[in-house]
């Protein structure tokens, strides 16, 4: 019976050894998982500057609504600025139209020699009248 008892004890020891080996393998696997979770946690902490990682859903919705209001305000300001630019362009076109009309009239009067020489001499416009007329001829 001693031999039988020794064989049973040997088999139990072998089972316990196998169980211990299996537990060590599971422990290593769990340790790897724990390291992966720790690595992921460290990565999330490193990227904690990203607002949506720290915010709850209502906070995110609130921030998006604020951004939407800001975007709408910017769009309205953009439309107002565009309208102002168009008005300024219209004003510039009107001024240029008047300038062309006056310069054409001045050149026509110069060609007819009806421009009063005293006005040209008084305001020292002789060279300017000549250059305006030259530009007018180029435009035609």
């Amino acid at each position: 019976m001693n031999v039988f008892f020794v064989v049973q004890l040997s088999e139990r020891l072998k089972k316990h050894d196998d169980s211990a080996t299996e537990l060590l393998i599971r422990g290593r696997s769990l340790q790897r998982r724990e390291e992966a979770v720790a690595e992921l946690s460290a990565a999330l902490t490193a990227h904690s500057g990203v607002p949506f990682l720290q915010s709850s859903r209502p906070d995110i919705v609130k921030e998006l609504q604020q951004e939407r209001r800001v975007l709408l305000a910017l769009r309205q300001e953009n439309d107002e600025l565009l309208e102002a630019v168009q008005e300024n362009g219209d004003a510039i076109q009107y001024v240029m139209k008047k300038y062309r009309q006056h310069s054409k009239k001045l050149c026509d009067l110069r060609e007819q020699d009806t421009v009063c020489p005293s006005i040209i001499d008084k305001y020292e416009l002789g060279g300017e009248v000549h250059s305006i007329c030259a530009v007018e001829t180029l435009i035609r």
Side-chain angles (χ1 to χ4, degrees), residues 19-58:
S19 295
T21 304
E22 188 176 322
L23 284 174
L24 282 174
I25 292 171
R26 283 184 187 173
R28 288 181 188 141
S29 174
L30 286 174
Q31 185 178 11
R32 277 185 252 138
R33 284 184 185 175
E34 183 183 354
E35 289 171 358
V37 168
E39 186 177 323
L40 179 63
S41 176
L44 287 175
T45 303
H47 291 91
S48 64
V50 180
F52 65 86
L53 290 178
Q54 296 175 343
S55 302
S56 63
R57 180 176 168 78

Side-chain angles (χ1 to χ4, degrees), residues 91-107 127-137 139:
I92 289 172
Q93 287 178 357
Y94 177 75
V95 167
M96 289 304 297
K97 179 182 173 184
K98 289 296 180 181
Y99 171 78
R100 287 185 201 105
Q101 288 174 351
H102 288 290
S103 63
K104 183 179 183 309
K105 192 175 191 181
L106 181 64
C107 288
E128 291 177 14
V129 170
H130 180 69
S131 64
I132 289 172
C133 288
V135 169
E136 180 67 28
T137 56
I139 290 174

Side-chain angles (χ1 to χ4, degrees), residues 77-121:
E77 183 181 356
N78 191 22
D79 292 341
E80 291 171 1
L81 289 172
L82 182 61
E83 185 178 328
V85 166
Q86 289 173 345
E87 288 175 3
N88 285 337
D90 293 344
I92 289 172
Q93 287 178 357
Y94 177 75
V95 167
M96 289 304 297
K97 179 182 173 184
K98 289 296 180 181
Y99 171 78
R100 287 185 201 105
Q101 288 174 351
H102 288 290
S103 63
K104 183 179 183 309
K105 192 175 191 181
L106 181 64
C107 288
D108 290 345
L109 290 175
R110 183 172 178 267
E111 288 174 3
Q112 297 171 4
D113 289 331
T114 56
V115 178
C116 183
S118 63
I119 294 176
I120 293 175
D121 293 337

